[in-house]
């Protein structure tokens, strides 16, 4: 049964456009816009992501019902092949949208397309040892993270700058119009607050590299690097949908030229796992030879992997595991029982948290104060891009539960407001060498005023018999450990320059 001849690129383009629009709309609805609930988070895309599912469930050794739709994706891949990459992947859709805007460059030497399989094996082996690095390379994670940490903040900063300038110039007619446009954009696409993120440059560079690699080969990322593509490719290798003929015709090699992923090897054999079902070959074949047919039993087509390289990737995965175990954060945990970093409220115990976190950055996207930031390596290599609270940048809003609402994998538990109020994420300390009342004899009550707990976790020793610079009784603040929840607002608001005279650490009250 021939099924390919009637397919045109229009349905695919429409599907990709719909997916990309849905992705961007969900991205915007997930960003913090002043509400207390996120109804349509972008994490829905992870439900169709077999790599995130495999990495998270392998590393955490738990089944996760959130990923059930992944079974449908795998089933459809067994029937049709790598349709997800060609039709539904938002990263693929973005690359196909950007490529026509770029002038190709002639680069002869490219990596082996097997590189993505080796990367996949390495990630799965490390996940089997409870180390989840999948999110660093997963395309859905990369896309959400890049938009969150760099692209969206960059675009919004540019937009705010333009509107501010127009407002400042106050040009008759123009400024009134720009303010009207600004009002609409503020309600729809502009963020509630300007985002500032650590690692924004790194994220932008990596994202830009993925986009600009399209100049070298169409779908460069998908051909050579994407581990999700590699996983789907292994399933697609035994799919029921077959291409006819099974190689390039000796009198014509047009198919290879029009194929977005160049799904033919050096000998002209068709590589089923590389085909992303764009059907370009069917449409462009003037001799009407190329077609897709459904056949049973499936004709298996495995990638021609180099055994030596497979072994290297497996060994590298094995070697990484003990290497990550000797990170200094382990010593901190074992000798003092404390975590190296402050995690969001509702975060699971550190090892389980890291085994589940896919580094998507959604929690950072929704954090109303911008306090959740991507970690570099303070939490270990497996913690790269995972969320940490940096109180000097932003604090944990006392009644906010948004990060747990959007976390796709349950790395951060969904908390009720009542549970959140009881959740302790760290503890504050006063640096008496820098605190104004202690070090300079000047009264200051900023931290006490901002402390949100019902019974203030910061109180004053008074009277101490000394007078402040303004002539009033000097009052010195101190922290009551078992009332402090570690929200960090005191450190955030402390007027002392640099790191603040009150500092919140990841230690939790024991006394
Ligand atoms: S903890 Fe944050 S970064 Fe990690 S998976 Fe959950 S939402 Fe994404
Ligand atoms: S971190 Fe600071 S503001 Fe937050 S509860 Fe503790 S003392 Fe209060």
């Amino acid at each position: 049964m021939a099924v390919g001849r009637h397919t045109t690129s229009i349905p695919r383009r429409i599907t990709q456009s719909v997916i990309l629009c849905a992705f961007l709309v969900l991205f915007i609805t997930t960003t913090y816009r002043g509400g207390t609930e996120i109804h349509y988070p972008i994490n829905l895309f992870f439900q169709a992501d077999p790599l995130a599912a495999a990495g998270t469930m392998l590393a955490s050794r738990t089944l996760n019902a959130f990923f059930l739709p992944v079974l449908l994706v795998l089933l459809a891949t067994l029937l049709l092949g790598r349709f997800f990459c060609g039709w539904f992947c938002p990263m693929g859709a973005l690359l196909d949208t950007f490529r026509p805007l770029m002038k190709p460059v002639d680069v002869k030497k490219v990596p082996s397309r097997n590189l993505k399989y080796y990367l996949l094996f390495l990630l799965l082996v490390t996940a089997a040892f409870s180390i989840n690095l999948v999110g660093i390379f997963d395309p859905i994670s990369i896309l959400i993270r890049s938009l969150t940490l760099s692209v969206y903040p960059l675009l919004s900063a540019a937009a705010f700058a333009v509107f501010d300038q127009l407002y400042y110039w106050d040009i008759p007619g123009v400024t009134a119009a720009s303010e009207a446009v600004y009002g609409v954009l503020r309600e729809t696409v502009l963020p509630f607050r300007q985002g500032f993120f650590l690692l924004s440059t790194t994220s932008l560079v990596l994202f830009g590299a993925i986009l600009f690699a399209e100049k070298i080969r169409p779908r460069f990322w998908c051909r050579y690097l994407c581990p999700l593509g590699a996983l789907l490719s292994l399933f697609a290798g035994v799919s029921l949908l077959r291409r006819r003929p099974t190689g390039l015709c000796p009198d014509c090699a047009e198919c290879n030229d029009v194929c977005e992923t160049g799904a033919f090897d050096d000998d002209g054999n068709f590589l089923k796992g590389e085909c992303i079902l764009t059907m370009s070959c069917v449409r462009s074949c003037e001799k009407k030879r190329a077609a897709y047919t459904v056949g049973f039993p499936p004709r298996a087509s495995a990638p021609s992997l180099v055994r030596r390289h497979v072994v290297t990737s497996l060994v590298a995965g094995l070697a990484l595991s003990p290497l990550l175990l000797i990170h200094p954060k382990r010593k901190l945990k074992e000798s003092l029982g404390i975590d190296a970093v402050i995690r969001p409220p509702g975060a699971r115990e550190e090892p389980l948290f890291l085994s589940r976190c896919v580094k998507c950055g959604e929690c950072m996207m929704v954090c109303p104060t911008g306090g959740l930031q991507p970690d570099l390596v303070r939490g270990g290599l497996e913690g790269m891009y995972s969320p940490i609270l940096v109180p000097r940048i932003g604090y944990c809003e006392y009644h906010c539960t948004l990060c747990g609402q959007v976390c796709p994998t349950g790395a951060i538990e969904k908390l009720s407001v009542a549970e959140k109020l009881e959740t302790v994420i760290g503890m504050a300390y006063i640096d008496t060498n820098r605190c104004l009342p202690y070090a300079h004899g000047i009264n200051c009550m900023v931290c006490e005023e901002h402390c949100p707990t019902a019974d203030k976790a910061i109180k004053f020793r008074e009277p101490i018999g000394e007078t402040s610079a303004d002539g009033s009784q000097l009052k010195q603040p101190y922290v009551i450990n078992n009332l402090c929840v570690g929200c960090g607002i005191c450190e955030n608001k402390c007027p002392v320059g640099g790191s603040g005279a009150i500092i919140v650490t990841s230690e939790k009250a024991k006394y």
Side-chain angles (χ1 to χ4, degrees):
M1 174 185 52
V3 296
R5 285 188 189 283
H6 308 296
T7 312
T8 69
S9 67
I10 295 170
R12 187 169 87 95
R13 291 289 175 230
I14 293 175
T15 311
Q16 284 188 310
S17 306
V18 170
I19 291 290
L20 208 47
C21 287
F23 187 86
L24 294 174
V25 168
L26 289 181
F27 178 84
I28 295 293
T29 59
T30 309
T31 53
Y32 179 67
R33 312 197 73 75
T36 54
E37 280 182 40
I38 304 281
H39 298 288
Y40 303 105
I42 198 168
N43 68 31
L44 297 174
F45 273 84
F46 281 106
Q47 295 196 292
D49 183 339
L51 182 66
T56 304
M57 291 198 281
L58 254 181
S60 63
R61 302 204 173 108
T62 48
L63 292 175
N64 191 338
F66 172 84
F67 288 118
L68 264 179
V70 158
L71 293 177
L72 286 179
V73 175
L74 292 181
L75 189 66
T77 308
L78 284 173
L79 292 174
L80 302 171
R82 230 171 115 186
F83 76 101
F84 178 87
C85 302
W87 292 66
F88 290 103
C89 176
M91 177 70 99
L94 191 72
L95 296 179
D96 289 345
T97 308
F98 263 81
R99 190 170 50 254
L101 308 176
M102 286 185 266
K103 201 169 159 209
V105 289
D106 188 20
V107 176
K108 295 272 181 299
K109 203 156 170 50
V110 286
S112 159
R113 65 172 80 238
N114 288 341
L115 196 58
K116 60 180 178 293
Y117 297 104
Y118 305 140
L119 178 59
L120 171 70
F121 298 149
L122 185 147
L123 294 176
L124 293 182
V125 170
T126 45
F129 285 89
S130 293
I131 292 165
N132 190 358
L133 301 178
V134 156
I136 297 176
F137 299 97
D138 180 89
I140 309 278
S141 287
I142 293 178
L143 198 49
I144 300 177
R145 190 169 68 224
S146 306
L147 290 183
T148 301
L149 302 186
S150 49
V151 179
Y152 189 50
L154 208 60
L155 292 179
S156 57
F160 286 137
V162 169
F163 285 116
D164 282 353
Q165 197 58 48
L166 288 173
Y167 181 77
Y168 174 74
W169 281 335
D170 196 13
I171 308 166
V174 176
T175 300
S178 80
E179 283 304 288
V181 174
Y182 176 74
V184 174
L185 293 182
R186 200 67 215 251
E187 289 298 311
T188 50
V189 294
L190 283 175
F192 192 79
R193 56 158 182 85
Q194 174 61 46
F196 299 92
F197 289 103
L198 303 171
L199 301 187
S200 56
T201 313
T202 324
S203 304
L204 190 66
V205 168
L206 289 177
F207 186 56
I210 291 175
L211 284 185
F212 281 99
E214 288 299 294
K215 284 167 82 72
I216 301 173
R217 292 287 185 278
R219 294 289 192 114
F220 186 99
W221 163 259
C222 310
R223 285 188 196 210
Y224 307 113
L225 296 169
C226 180
L228 173 56
L231 183 63
L232 291 170
S233 180
L234 295 178
F235 283 85
V238 289
S239 60
L240 294 182
L241 201 65
R242 297 172 179 173
R243 182 187 181 275
R244 212 182 53 215
T246 56
L248 294 173
C249 300
D251 59 338
C252 171
E254 177 82 7
C255 292
N256 200 26
D257 295 337
V258 297
C259 178
E260 261 179 33
T261 54
F264 297 86
D265 67 14
D266 292 343
D267 299 324
N269 299 312
F270 177 59
L271 302 169
K272 208 173 174 184
E274 301 298 324
C275 170
I276 57 169
L277 298 168
T278 64
M279 304 288 176
S280 311
C281 55
V282 176
R283 286 194 309 280
S284 66
C285 181
E286 285 175 7
K287 300 178 182 70
K288 303 292 177 213
R289 291 174 189 156
Y292 278 78
T293 61
V294 176
F296 194 84
R299 202 178 286 145
S301 151
S304 52
L305 303 175
V306 180
R307 193 186 301 166
R308 186 162 42 93
H309 294 164
V310 174
V311 172
T312 307
S313 64
L314 297 178
V315 171
L318 280 173
L320 257 182
S321 314
L323 205 62
L324 296 172
L325 290 178
I326 58 171
H327 189 277
K329 70 165 189 170
R330 306 262 167 187
K331 183 167 181 259
L332 198 63
K333 184 78 181 170
E334 277 155 29
S335 57
L336 296 173
I338 54 176
D339 295 312
V341 289
I342 309 173
R343 293 295 183 192
R348 312 271 173 174
E349 271 297 297
E350 185 70 3
L352 183 59
F353 171 79
L354 284 179
S355 68
R356 286 194 174 189
C357 176
V358 287
K359 286 86 178 169
C360 59
E362 287 180 58
C363 46
M364 302 168 219
M365 186 195 299
V366 295
C367 182
T369 68
L372 285 184
Q373 293 284 328
D375 186 22
L376 184 53
V377 288
R378 280 173 62 201
L381 183 61
E382 72 270 42
M384 185 187 271
Y385 286 119
S386 64
I388 55 173
L389 184 77
V390 183
R392 211 50 177 152
I393 300 179
Y395 55 93
C396 182
E397 184 68 55
Y398 196 42
H399 289 85
C400 171
T401 60
L402 292 176
C403 52
Q405 291 179 32
V406 297
C407 179
T409 60
I412 305 174
E413 219 178 327
K414 208 178 256 182
L415 299 176
S416 65
V417 175
E419 287 168 328
K420 165 68 195 301
L421 299 185
E422 298 291 311
T423 303
V424 177
I425 57 174
M427 194 161 57
Y429 292 90
I430 291 175
D431 180 350
T432 52
N433 287 323
R434 305 177 70 239
C435 176
L436 296 177
Y438 288 96
H440 303 285
I442 299 170
N443 263 338
C444 172
M445 47 181 60
V446 172
C447 56
E448 191 270 348
E449 277 177 351
H450 283 91
C451 182
T453 53
D455 186 6
K456 294 269 183 187
I458 299 174
K459 299 203 181 329
F460 292 103
R461 289 190 186 94
E462 60 176 332
I464 60 163
E466 289 178 35
T467 317
S468 171
D470 61 2
S472 61
Q473 276 282 346
L474 189 64
K475 299 195 277 185
Q476 293 175 330
Y478 66 98
V479 178
I480 301 172
N481 293 347
N482 57 10
L483 291 182
C484 174
V485 292
C487 69
I489 194 168
C490 49
E491 180 178 337
N492 184 261
K493 303 291 182 191
C494 176
V496 173
S499 58
I502 184 161
I503 295 163
V504 176
T505 77
S506 55
E507 191 182 2
K508 292 168 193 162
K510 301 188 199 97
Y511 5 81

